[in-house]
Amino acid sequence: MNNYFKTSKIIGLVLFLTWSMSNMAYAQNRRVDLKENLAFDDVLKMAKEKNKLIFLDFGSITCKPCLYIKKEVLTLDSVADFINERFVSVDYNVGKEKDRLRKLYRVEGEPVLLIMDQNGVLMHRMAGKVDGQQLMQRFKQGLDPKNNFVALSKSYAEGNREAKFVLKYLEALHNASETEKMNQVVSKFLEGPVERIKDPDVWKVFHRFNQDLASREMMYMFDNRLEFYKLFGQSMVDGKINKLYSEKSIFYLYGHKPPIDDPKFSIILNYARKTDYPKASEWLCYLVPAEHKYKDWTKVGQEVDQIYSFNILKGRAGSSFKDMMVTQFIMYCNDGKALQYPIRWCDELIAERPVESEQKRLREHKKSLQERALNPEKDKLNWTDMN
C-alpha cells in the first residue's frame, strides 16, 4: 500500500511538472500583436471598434536597435500582456504609408515608438534602444495624462519653468530623441547669472542635460571646479568634464567636416591648451591634429608624429590611435605627399603587432595608401556631402 501511494505521488509530481513546464514554455512565447504597415484609417477604425489606444513602431529590417526591441523586448510576457490589453499595435517598417506617417508625426531616426488616442492624436513619443523595464516605464508615463510627452510639452508652452518640472520635461525630450528642442530648453533655463548652476536644482538640470562643452556654464564650472568639488563632489564634476571633452575630441578628429570651421572648436582647443587639468594632454592628442584635418594633411601627419615623440598615448591606446589615423588618411586624404605618413605608420604597427591577421590587414592598408599616393584622385570621397 505504501509503495502504491509513493508511486502515485511520483506520477502526480511528474504530471504536475510536465504541465508547469508546458505552461511556462507557452508563457515565455507571448509577444506583442504587431500588425504590419496597415493603412492608418484601418488602424483608427480598429482602435475604436476594440476601444483601445494606438501603438506605432517605426523601424526597419536593417536597424539593429529596432530588431532588438521587436525580438527581445516585445516578446517579454509582461510587455506583451500590458500592450496587447490596451493597444492596437502596428509596425511600420517599409512603404508609402510609413513615409506619410513619418512626415505627419515628425518621426526622425529609428526606432521611434508613438502612443496615440483612438483619433490618432499623439500622446507620447519614445525613441532609441530600450530594455523591457525601460519600455514599461515609458509606456506607463505615456498613459499618464498629466505626465506624458504631450502634457509636459503643453505645460512648458504655458510657462511652467519650475526646476523639478523642467528636469522631468527634459527627460521626456531626451527619451524622445528631441535633441534640438532639449538643447533649447536647457539654454533657456540656464539664462541669467551663471552662478545659478551652484543651486542644487539648477545643477541637476545643467549636469544631466547641458551637452555644450563650449557653453559659459561649462567654462565657469571648469574655472571654479575646486568650489564645485566641495558643492557636488569631485567624481560628479570630473565625470561631466571628462565625458564631454572625450566625446568632443573624438568627434572632431574622426568627423566628416573640418573642425576649424566650427566656431566652438577653437574655444575648446584653446581651453584644453591653457588648463592644468590632468587629462587635457590626452584630449590635445585628438584636438591638435583635428585643427588641420581636411585643410592640411601634411600638418596632421606632423602633429601625430609629435604626439608620439612626447609619448603621451602609451601602450595599446597609442597603437589604436595610430591605427585609427591610418584609417582617416585612407578615407579622406588625397595628398600624395601627406600619404607618406600613414604608409610609415603601417610599417610601425606591423612591427608592433605579432598577430598574422593584424599584419595582413595593415599590409593591405599600406598597399592601398601607396596606390593612392601614385594616383591621388583614386576613390576620392566627397566628404563635404557627409553629415
Side-chain angles (χ1 to χ4, degrees):
M1 184 67 69
N2 289 337
N3 289 337
Y4 171 79
F5 281 115
K6 286 181 180 178
T7 303
S8 298
K9 287 180 179 179
I10 292 171
I11 292 173
L13 180 61
V14 170
L15 290 173
F16 174 76
L17 291 172
T18 303
W19 176 83
S20 298
M21 291 174 68
S22 165
N23 279 279
M24 189 182 298
Y26 171 78
Q28 289 174 342
N29 282 288
R30 296 200 296 275
R31 60 179 59 239
V32 173
D33 182 19
L34 274 178
K35 315 297 183 187
E36 284 197 73
N37 303 310
L38 295 181
F40 194 56
D41 286 343
D42 293 340
V43 178
L44 295 172
K45 182 179 178 182
M46 197 181 305
K48 290 171 183 174
E49 288 175 351
K50 296 185 177 183
N51 193 27
K52 292 184 177 182
L53 299 172
I54 297 168
F55 162 45
L56 303 186
D57 178 355
F58 288 86
S60 70
I61 58 175
T62 59
C63 164
K64 290 184 179 179
C66 305
L67 295 175
Y68 173 82
I69 291 174
K70 288 180 178 65
K71 293 181 178 180
E72 305 295 334
V73 179
L74 299 184
T75 55
L76 296 172
D77 294 350
S78 57
V79 172
D81 291 345
F82 182 88
I83 293 178
N84 288 337
E85 181 182 346
R86 296 168 176 81
F87 295 90
V88 171
S89 306
V90 187
D91 175 23
Y92 286 97
N93 50 54
V94 70
K96 292 182 178 179
E97 190 69 339
K98 175 186 177 181
D99 294 338
R100 185 181 75 82
L101 292 173
R102 282 175 67 99
K103 293 177 182 177
L104 181 63
Y105 292 104
R106 298 187 303 104
V107 173
E108 298 178 3
E110 296 176 342
V112 171
L113 312 177
L114 303 181
I115 292 176
M116 303 173 182
D117 68 14
Q118 294 177 358
N119 297 310
V121 177
L122 181 67
M123 297 167 58
H124 198 60
R125 180 187 298 269
M126 301 163 275
K129 184 178 178 180
V130 291
D131 60 27
Q133 184 177 2
Q134 290 170 323
L135 186 69
M136 289 294 287
Q137 289 173 345
R138 295 180 188 185
F139 258 87
K140 289 175 181 178
Q141 182 184 3
L143 294 177
D144 185 343
K146 294 183 179 179
N147 288 299
N148 61 31
F149 182 83
V150 170
L152 294 175
S153 298
K154 181 181 178 183
S155 182
Y156 182 81
E158 291 173 347
N160 191 341
R161 296 298 184 271
E162 183 188 357
K164 291 181 180 178
F165 165 77
V166 170
L167 195 63
K168 184 188 295 185
Y169 181 43
L170 286 168
E171 190 69 38
L173 289 168
H174 173 74
N175 292 340
S177 287
E178 294 277 356
T179 306
E180 185 176 349
K181 180 64 175 177
M182 184 181 76
N183 291 338
Q184 290 173 359
V185 172
V186 171
S187 179
K188 191 71 177 175
F189 180 78
L190 294 176
E191 287 181 349
V194 70
E195 294 84 1
R196 288 180 63 238
I197 63 172
K198 294 178 187 177
D199 180 291
D201 288 335
V202 178
W203 167 263
K204 289 176 184 177
V205 172
F206 163 74
H207 182 265
R208 175 73 176 87
F209 292 106
N210 181 17
Q211 303 301 313
D212 184 358
L213 181 56
S215 68
R216 63 176 190 144
E217 291 80 17
M218 276 298 303
M219 297 295 115
Y220 179 76
M221 183 190 71
F222 214 142
D223 285 338
N224 300 278
R225 59 184 182 277
L226 294 180
E227 184 179 358
F228 279 87
Y229 288 166
K230 293 178 182 178
L231 288 170
F232 304 110
Q234 183 173 349
S235 62
M236 182 171 283
V237 175
D238 284 352
K240 176 76 173 175
I241 294 170
N242 294 341
K243 181 177 184 295
L244 290 190
Y245 247 108
S246 296
E247 288 177 352
K248 270 299 183 182
S249 299
I250 292 171
F251 168 78
Y252 281 130
L253 185 57
Y254 299 145
H256 300 308
K257 295 180 179 179
I260 199 65
D261 290 349
D262 179 357
K264 293 182 179 181
F265 173 77
S266 294
I267 297 172
I268 293 167
L269 173 61
N270 292 332
Y271 215 85
R273 278 178 166 151
K274 75 176 186 179
T275 183
D276 60 353
Y277 193 79
K279 291 179 71 70
S281 58
E282 182 180 323
W283 303 329
L284 288 169
C285 292
Y286 294 83
L287 293 170
V288 171
E291 184 178 16
H292 309 286
K293 191 176 177 184
Y294 300 116
K295 304 289 187 178
D296 186 344
W297 284 100
T298 297
K299 189 65 176 174
V300 173
Q302 291 172 350
E303 294 292 0
V304 172
D305 275 351
Q306 186 101 348
I307 288 165
Y308 277 92
S309 71
F310 289 122
N311 196 28
I312 299 171
L313 296 175
K314 299 176 175 63
R316 187 66 186 176
S319 179
S320 296
F321 175 74
K322 189 180 289 184
D323 202 341
M324 284 297 298
M325 290 311 302
V326 168
T327 302
Q328 291 295 296
F329 274 77
I330 289 174
M331 292 176 66
Y332 305 117
C333 177
N334 297 94
D335 181 338
K337 180 183 177 183
L339 288 171
Q340 301 308 311
Y341 287 93
I343 290 171
R344 173 165 49 78
W345 297 337
C346 284
D347 288 333
E348 293 168 357
L349 288 166
I350 289 169
E352 294 173 9
R353 299 183 176 181
V355 179
E356 176 56 34
S357 60
E358 285 284 286
Q359 292 189 347
K360 180 181 178 182
R361 177 180 63 83
L362 289 163
R363 284 194 292 268
E364 290 174 352
H365 283 345
K366 179 180 177 181
K367 181 180 178 181
S368 175
L369 288 162
Q370 288 172 327
E371 291 175 352
R372 177 81 63 81
L374 294 173
N375 182 10
E377 294 302 310
K378 182 181 179 182
D379 302 324
K380 184 175 182 180
L381 289 174
N382 185 4
W383 53 263
T384 55
D385 289 339
M386 300 181 181
N387 293 324

